[in-house]
Amino acid sequence: MHVTELTLKDFRNYHSQTLRFSEGTNMIYGKNAQGKTNILEAVYMFSQGKSHRARTDKEIIRFGCQCAKTAVAFETAERSFKAAMRLTRDGKKSITINNVRIKKLSMLMNYLNTVMFSPEDLSLVKGSPSVRRRFADLAISQLFPKYLTSLIDYSKALTQKNSLLKELKRSGARSDVMLSVWNERLAAEGVKIMRRRAEFLERLGVIASGIQKEISGETLETEYAHGIKLPELSEAAFFEALEKAQAREIDAQSAIYGIQRDDLIIRVNGNDAKTFASQGQQRTAALTLKIALSDYIYSIKDEYPVLLLDDIMSELDKPRRLYLAEKIKNKQVLITSADTDILKSTADTKLFYVENGTVTER
């Protein structure tokens, strides 16, 4: 899988730009705040449907413009694709793949797979559970589009339930028929999500354990911490647990049990990495999980995702930098940096110099 061409029109600080990439390493370099990361962001949006850093699509549109357009051409082992995206200031978004309109975000998934590496990945280990849930959910959604549909349906039901819980608390009620209705919907989608998360995290943990050993000689273990304890992973057991918690959740005015409380526990040398690992160990664990994700995607699709490395090399010491450089061989890589010294140039390396929203191939 590789991206062959990217076109930007009024996207971030780009007026009009087309880039043609190598199937190997593509070095995007230049001074800070020139627009290097914007290129990675544009590619990433075609795998997830949204930016990895913008809160709203309006932030992506170039100042003074009413809309932004991007287009990407990419190839898989089976066929070629051309995708286009248009964002407007009134919040409208249109996406097409091979000129066919994508009506739901879940329909976009599973076409272009990417794995993003960035300095912010440290939060994957030391951040809140929501960061780790998002990591798992985005990864699974790329490979199993119906999973995203379950996430959306669960989120909608959870919002309705939380609103009802607040109303019941104000009225002094201890239960409600509609609360059971929302619990049924949460149980139906929640079990699907838990099963996918459990399968993903188990397989990812096995891959990550071996990579961590290669990088640092240390052990890495992962554990899926469920936000709801069930005697068995079934819809009936999920629903029963929620029903028993009605009074407690009314008092809390919020759903206190469910997959929205899940977490991924990461241990280095047997200790909780979030609390006891050094920053170096935390950074290594985060890097390990991202490399493991790339290998996991390969195990499912029999081809590697496009790797997006945003100024990550400068954050690593020499041994880890060399290890990552070895792992990205024979894969398409888009990497940003302030200079070109972090990787050795090879026959399939292309250099792109970025200055103030203009790219020059060198």
Side-chain angles (χ1 to χ4, degrees), residues 88-99:
T88 62
R89 288 205 176 274
D90 59 5
K92 294 181 180 180
K93 176 190 295 182
S94 63
I95 305 173
T96 61
I97 295 183
N98 289 348
N99 296 317

Side-chain angles (χ1 to χ4, degrees), residues 103-118:
K103 297 180 180 180
K104 294 182 179 180
L105 187 58
S106 58
M107 295 173 62
L108 177 67
M109 302 300 182
N110 207 31
Y111 282 98
L112 175 62
N113 298 132
T114 66
V115 174
M116 171 76 80
F117 296 73
S118 71

Side-chain angles (χ1 to χ4, degrees), residues 256-274:
I256 57 179
Y257 300 105
I259 60 98
Q260 72 277 9
R261 306 283 181 171
D262 285 355
D263 196 3
L264 170 61
I265 307 300
I266 303 167
R267 297 188 180 91
V268 175
N269 295 333
N271 298 314
D272 187 344
K274 180 178 180 178

Side-chain angles (χ1 to χ4, degrees), residues 74-224:
F74 61 98
E75 298 180 1
T76 69
E78 298 179 350
R79 61 177 297 189
S80 300
F81 296 91
K82 289 185 177 180
M85 187 178 302
R86 185 175 186 272
L87 312 172
T88 62
R89 288 205 176 274
D90 59 5
K92 294 181 180 180
K93 176 190 295 182
S94 63
I95 305 173
T96 61
I97 295 183
N98 289 348
N99 296 317
V100 177
R101 179 76 177 270
I102 300 298
K103 297 180 180 180
K104 294 182 179 180
L105 187 58
S106 58
M107 295 173 62
L108 177 67
M109 302 300 182
N110 207 31
Y111 282 98
L112 175 62
N113 298 132
T114 66
V115 174
M116 171 76 80
F117 296 73
S118 71
E120 291 74 30
D121 286 339
L122 189 61
S123 64
L124 183 56
V125 179
K126 65 185 299 184
S128 67
S130 63
V131 176
R132 289 178 287 279
R133 286 197 301 272
R134 176 177 168 80
F135 165 73
D137 290 341
L138 290 178
I140 300 170
S141 295
Q142 282 197 70
L143 300 169
F144 306 101
K146 290 183 179 179
Y147 178 82
L148 178 60
T149 300
S150 290
L151 282 175
I152 292 172
D153 290 345
Y154 186 96
S155 179
K156 290 179 179 178
L158 184 63
T159 298
Q160 294 293 333
K161 177 180 176 178
N162 282 334
S163 179
L164 179 58
L165 288 170
K166 291 180 173 63
E167 292 180 12
L168 294 175
K169 176 65 174 179
R170 286 194 295 267
S171 68
R174 304 306 294 164
S175 64
D176 188 87
V177 174
M178 277 305 300
L179 197 53
S180 295
V181 171
W182 295 123
N183 283 341
E184 286 181 357
R185 296 190 184 182
L186 290 172
E189 300 305 329
V191 166
K192 298 176 189 177
I193 294 167
M194 289 179 71
R195 286 173 178 160
R196 278 296 186 194
R197 282 180 178 175
E199 178 188 14
F200 167 72
L201 293 173
E202 181 180 5
R203 293 182 62 178
L204 187 77
V206 172
I207 298 171
S209 176
I211 293 173
Q212 181 81 4
K213 200 74 172 178
E214 291 178 353
I215 295 178
S216 63
E218 298 178 314
T219 64
L220 185 145
E221 301 169 323
T222 59
E223 178 187 346
Y224 180 14

